[in-house]
Amino acid sequence: PVRELDILPAEERSYLLEELNRTEADYPSDLCVHELFEAQVRRAPGAVALVFEEQSISYGALNADANRLAHHLIELGVRPDQPVAICVERSPAMVVGLLAILKAGGAYVPLDPAYPSERLRQLLDDAGPRRLLCDATGRAALGAEAIADLSVVDLNAATPAWADQSADDPDPHALGLTARHLAYIIYTSGSTGTPKGVMVEHRNTVNLLHWSGGVFAESEIRRTLFSTSVCFDLSVYECFLPLSQGSKLYLVEDALKLARTSVDASLINTVPSAITALVNQKAVPASASVINLAGERVKADLIERIFESTRVQKICTLYAPSETTTYSTWICMPRGQAVVETIGRPIANTRIYLLDGHGQPVPFGAVGELYIGGAGVARGYLNR
């Protein structure tokens, strides 16, 4: 049959299938996400880990707070691979909660209290967590009926039940926790039907974080903005990249708030529509050295506008669905070099193929469907 004829010259086939996908690199595939953070705590416990409004928290203090809560969650029965929901307003308590769930061995299920209550209850019903971390804002967003049957841990408590717990790191081995267990379950937008819970393991995320720490200079990620909703997987990168690298994390309500706050962030990770608004308001921080854009198509004229109106030295386009752990491809365009509209090439330990309807690679310039393989591919969809 004609469809079985190989239309690609051998050299082009080899380039598309092999050369572009030579991305093998060592990474600590046996570590969990929070262990990367704990390594930074040991390295510099006094360094500032998190800045929120007028508040600064050191690595040591953030770790101690997360550990006390983690030990409490372990006593409540949290086990590896078990979903634990978190619905709190943006605050240091949110970051403490995320770290504590990971340290206890659970898989966090993020619920943004700014989302419609109906959507939140739908995610809660599907994920079926037995435990929920929340504050007053989260309670109000979910409603009393939705959380009536859950074991609720109130992060607003004046005298938390975990205040006297140990500040030491929980031992993953004692918990039976490995990098093959889930770190989080994040839901798709539901644009193709009912939202699906993507189950992402620690090792998937550790590959992304380790790759990022290798391709960006320390100065570029020294002060990273965390502005994305926890329900959107860009937040995984924004929260855990700086904490895994010993950098400073600036927690803000959303990227558009930069127009009214003074944040000296060096790395901004956001979507094109948000950065467009900041450029229009002349609100991109003068300190910004790198801007990562993802989630929407990135057009050349936007990149050119950013370079013209800011001091940014490098703009990167990143792409992936949640199913392959936040980012699978990237391209970086330094100031002064040619601007191109492309999603780039695969990151470390990732394979990218553009295939036709018969599963065969298409030639240069032809339309195909994108297939992604490698270390970022998540475990699957929850309950499916």
Side-chain angles (χ1 to χ4, degrees):
V2 172
R3 67 174 179 270
E4 292 181 6
L5 294 176
D6 190 354
I7 62 172
L8 288 180
E11 188 177 333
E12 186 175 334
R13 184 181 182 89
S14 174
Y15 176 78
L16 292 172
L17 297 185
E18 297 168 24
E19 189 173 331
L20 286 178
N21 288 303
R22 285 199 188 102
T23 60
E24 294 81 7
D26 288 335
Y27 75 103
S29 59
D30 58 339
L31 293 182
C32 294
V33 172
H34 56 278
E35 290 182 287
L36 302 181
F37 165 67
E38 290 166 356
Q40 298 302 328
V41 174
R42 292 190 292 272
R43 188 176 69 86
V48 175
L50 190 154
V51 176
F52 177 71
E53 296 176 347
E54 304 304 315
Q55 188 178 2
S56 293
I57 303 174
S58 70
Y59 270 83
L62 182 62
N63 192 49
D65 286 347
N67 284 341
R68 292 188 185 97
L69 179 54
H71 286 294
H72 180 62
L73 295 176
I74 292 166
E75 285 189 357
L76 290 177
V78 171
R79 296 290 180 267
D81 268 3
Q82 190 178 91
V84 179
I86 178 168
C87 188
V88 298
E89 62 182 349
R90 294 182 80 78
S91 66
M94 181 184 76
V95 179
V96 169
L98 296 176
L99 285 168
I101 294 169
L102 295 178
K103 286 169 171 280
Y108 75 82
V109 181
L111 303 172
D112 188 334
Y115 276 42
S117 295
E118 185 180 343
R119 161 95 177 179
L120 295 178
R121 286 193 287 269
Q122 182 184 43
L123 304 189
L124 207 55
D125 288 344
D126 187 72
R130 291 192 298 228
R131 288 165 190 85
L132 165 71
L133 275 57
C134 75
D135 56 11
T137 305
R139 281 181 182 273
L142 291 166
E145 187 180 338
I147 63 176
D149 296 328
L150 297 177
S151 171
V152 178
V153 177
D154 187 357
L155 298 187
N156 272 153
T159 53
W162 55 92
D164 295 329
Q165 289 280 1
S166 170
D168 295 337
D169 297 333
D171 180 5
H173 300 292
L175 299 174
L177 177 63
T178 73
R180 290 272 175 176
H181 286 112
L182 296 180
Y184 62 90
I185 300 168
I186 204 157
Y187 278 79
T188 62
S189 62
S191 57
T192 57
T194 307
K196 298 180 285 291
V198 180
M199 300 187 290
V200 181
E201 299 176 354
H202 282 271
R203 64 188 179 91
N204 302 137
T205 311
V206 166
N207 180 65
L208 172 72
L209 299 176
H210 188 262
W211 165 79
S212 299
V215 297
F216 290 110
E218 185 181 339
S219 60
E220 293 174 331
I221 57 176
R222 186 176 296 149
R223 304 178 307 279
T224 300
L225 191 71
F226 181 11
S227 62
T228 305
S229 164
V230 287
C231 283
F232 191 25
D233 67 348
L234 266 66
S235 66
V236 176
Y237 186 89
E238 291 179 340
C239 181
F240 297 112
L241 172 63
L243 294 181
S244 70
Q245 300 296 322
S247 303
K248 188 184 296 183
L249 184 158
Y250 281 99
L251 181 64
V252 299
E253 191 65 34
D254 63 61
L256 299 180
K257 292 287 171 63
L258 290 179
R260 297 186 293 280
T261 57
S262 55
V263 172
D264 65 334
S266 57
L267 173 67
I268 297 175
N269 191 73
T270 189
V271 294
S273 52
I275 206 69
T276 298
L278 290 177
V279 169
N280 291 341
Q281 297 172 39
K282 296 182 171 56
V284 175
S287 58
S289 171
V290 179
I291 292 179
N292 286 345
L293 297 176
E296 302 162 357
R297 181 182 172 186
V298 182
K299 296 184 178 179
D301 60 346
L302 172 60
I303 296 172
E304 290 163 355
R305 279 192 68 201
I306 296 171
F307 280 136
E308 289 168 3
S309 60
T310 72
R311 299 178 186 175
V312 169
Q313 295 302 305
K314 187 187 294 182
I315 297 173
C316 304
T317 298
L318 301 103
Y319 169 82
S322 300
E323 290 85 343
T324 60
T325 313
T326 308
Y327 298 137
S328 295
T329 71
W330 83 308
I331 182 170
C332 256
M333 289 161 279
R335 179 182 286 274
Q337 291 193 13
V339 170
V340 291
E341 291 186 11
T342 169
I343 61 170
R345 293 189 178 187
I347 71 167
N349 301 304
T350 300
R351 301 185 305 279
I352 300 290
Y353 303 105
L354 203 61
L355 307 180
D356 63 19
H358 302 290
Q360 294 300 309
V362 298
F364 287 126
V367 173
E369 188 166 7
L370 195 64
Y371 284 73
I372 304 176
V377 178
R379 183 189 295 180
Y381 294 123
L382 183 67
N383 303 325
R384 292 176 182 242

